[in-house]
Amino acid sequence: MDGVILGLETSCDETAAAVVTPELEVLSNVISSQVEVHAKYGGVVPELASRKHLENIMVVVQRALEEAGVSLEDVGCVAVTYGPGLVGALLVGVSAAKGLAYGLGVPLVGVNHLQGHIYSGFLADRPPDRWPLVCLVVSGGHTDLVLMEGHGRFRLLGSTRDDAAGEAFDKAARTLGLGYPGGPAIDALARRGDPGAVSFPRAYLEPGSLDFSFSGLKTAVLLYVREHPETPPEDVAAAFERAVVDVLVDKTFAAARRYGAGGVVLAGGVAANTGLREAFIARSEAEGLPLVIPALEYCTDNAAMIAACGWHRFRRGARDGLDLDAVPGLELEEGC
Ligand code: KG4
Ligand code: ZN
């Protein structure tokens, strides 16, 4: 393929476009966040998300091309998230990508958003270079532990049985009156708190299980705050964060040992969390296992990771037609 990869992402509440080279150098990574639109409702309103994507998508594409210093004629392939996510939101990106690919006469490649998060690790300065990898994808909707045995070869090892890690952060933030989105707010507050001030439960489930559960912790935080309104919120935030982080670190590195991993990748919006990043770095050093954590801008939803994943699909011969549809419930192992 000649040219650059144009990536589009509209699965939730960020309208994003990015231009990436076949060497996975990011030339631009434009993200238009809708956080302000949804904040007053305490969560993402799907209908509003679709409308905002529609207003913004071509503006964002134009800016991504400008910032990259390329024109539409330089685009060799269009990659777009087609699931999982909100159906109306996904459809905006998928339709725009089809129009662009058809108009430019270039290939279209659909990308699984969760695989996209994993590929954010390949945008790092030092991308992983030894298979297999154990990848933890922690976002607002997912907590997935994945064995990646090569490009496009994913095996789900464990996932959450109830709330996703990001959801737990958002709900704990609501309990503490911190507003939406809660993850960054808890992160900031937790830095000033004592994680040992409160002992919250850690759900390890059955011995050897690589699944997760966060709903018990969510309830424990709610009950604790009701019964102990005098405890400083920064201590509750720090103790809550530590309870989530302990389980995520322990299970990820247990999986890495069990499967003889050559490295670990931490990805998804919650990978932006300071405590989680620090704990992963400390454990990887203690175990002598290479770790890749993407830069902050590639942890939360973005289109550079979609372009990177799309490029690898393209290299393996994947092409999608104009019948590509949004698949809101797409599973992690689908669409390789
Ligand atoms: O990957 P992402 O941007 O969107 C989804 O695909 O869901 O993840 C969003 C989630 C939200 O739940 C948000 O609260 C959480 O990531 N998040 C964080 C932080 N930044 C974002 N959670 C904890 N600490 C953070 N710094
Ligand atoms: Zn995401």
Side-chain angles (χ1 to χ4, degrees):
M1 181 200 78
D2 288 330
V4 294
I5 305 111
L6 174 65
L8 303 187
E9 155 65 40
T10 63
S11 66
C12 191
D13 60 346
E14 327 277 359
T15 316
V19 175
V20 171
T21 70
E23 291 75 36
L24 300 193
E25 187 194 346
V26 181
L27 300 183
S28 65
N29 184 38
V30 176
I31 301 167
S32 166
S33 172
Q34 303 177 2
V35 160
E36 280 169 25
V37 178
H38 302 287
K40 56 178 174 289
Y41 303 101
V44 178
V45 183
E47 174 60 23
L48 290 181
S50 319
R51 281 194 232 164
K52 276 284 154 197
H53 284 312
L54 205 49
E55 276 172 38
N56 290 339
I57 185 74
M58 291 319 288
V59 180
V60 166
V61 166
Q62 193 106 42
R63 264 190 48 211
L65 294 169
E66 276 167 23
E67 284 185 20
V70 301
S71 67
L72 278 173
E73 289 71 48
D74 299 313
V75 173
C77 167
V78 180
V80 62
T81 303
Y82 72 103
L86 303 168
V87 67
L90 289 164
L91 276 172
V92 175
V94 168
S95 306
K98 282 184 195 173
L100 285 163
Y102 182 69
L104 296 170
V106 301
L108 172 71
V109 182
V111 172
N112 180 322
H113 180 82
L114 299 169
Q115 295 176 12
H117 271 301
I118 291 175
Y119 271 89
S120 63
F122 290 85
L123 297 169
D125 288 341
R126 278 201 235 152
D129 56 3
R130 271 168 57 207
W131 308 111
L133 295 170
V134 162
C135 312
L136 178 68
V137 183
V138 268
S139 70
H142 292 82
T143 304
D144 290 333
L145 201 46
V146 185
L147 186 69
M148 184 177 183
E149 295 172 296
H151 287 295
R153 292 173 57 207
F154 302 97
R155 181 143 59 103
L156 189 62
L157 302 176
S159 57
T160 183
R161 293 183 185 170
D162 40 59
D163 294 351
E167 211 176 334
F169 270 94
D170 293 334
K171 287 177 178 167
R174 196 177 301 178
T175 300
L176 291 171
L178 298 176
Y180 172 87
I186 294 257
D187 190 343
L189 197 57
R191 306 279 69 74
R192 296 188 269 119
D194 170 13
V198 190
S199 170
F200 285 127
R202 283 132 172 89
Y204 284 95
L205 306 172
E206 319 79 69
S209 171
L210 294 175
D211 280 343
F212 301 91
S213 166
F214 294 110
S215 71
L217 174 59
K218 167 187 71 185
T219 310
V221 173
L222 187 67
L223 294 177
Y224 182 88
V225 169
R226 257 192 221 154
E227 285 163 18
H228 302 273
E230 73 289 354
T231 307
E234 56 268 32
D235 286 348
V236 178
F240 159 80
E241 185 185 279
R242 183 63 63 82
V244 175
V245 166
D246 279 354
V247 177
L248 293 177
V249 173
D250 288 345
K251 293 208 178 217
T252 304
F253 283 84
R257 274 194 303 278
R258 194 182 302 174
Y259 291 94
V264 168
V265 175
L266 175 63
V270 182
N273 180 264
T274 312
L276 186 63
R277 295 170 84 91
E278 286 173 0
F280 262 71
I281 291 168
R283 185 68 68 91
S284 94
E285 283 170 1
E287 306 220 358
L289 197 58
L291 168 70
V292 173
I293 311 181
L296 286 181
E297 60 192 312
Y298 303 131
C299 287
T300 43
D301 287 348
N302 67 87
M305 68 186 193
I306 301 304
C309 185
W311 166 238
H312 274 281
R313 279 202 78 205
F314 176 89
R315 278 196 344 159
R316 295 195 301 278
R319 304 287 183 275
D320 284 293
L322 294 178
D323 56 350
L324 177 69
D325 208 354
V327 183
L330 193 68
E331 303 278 351
L332 191 139
E333 292 164 322
E334 292 180 296
C336 293

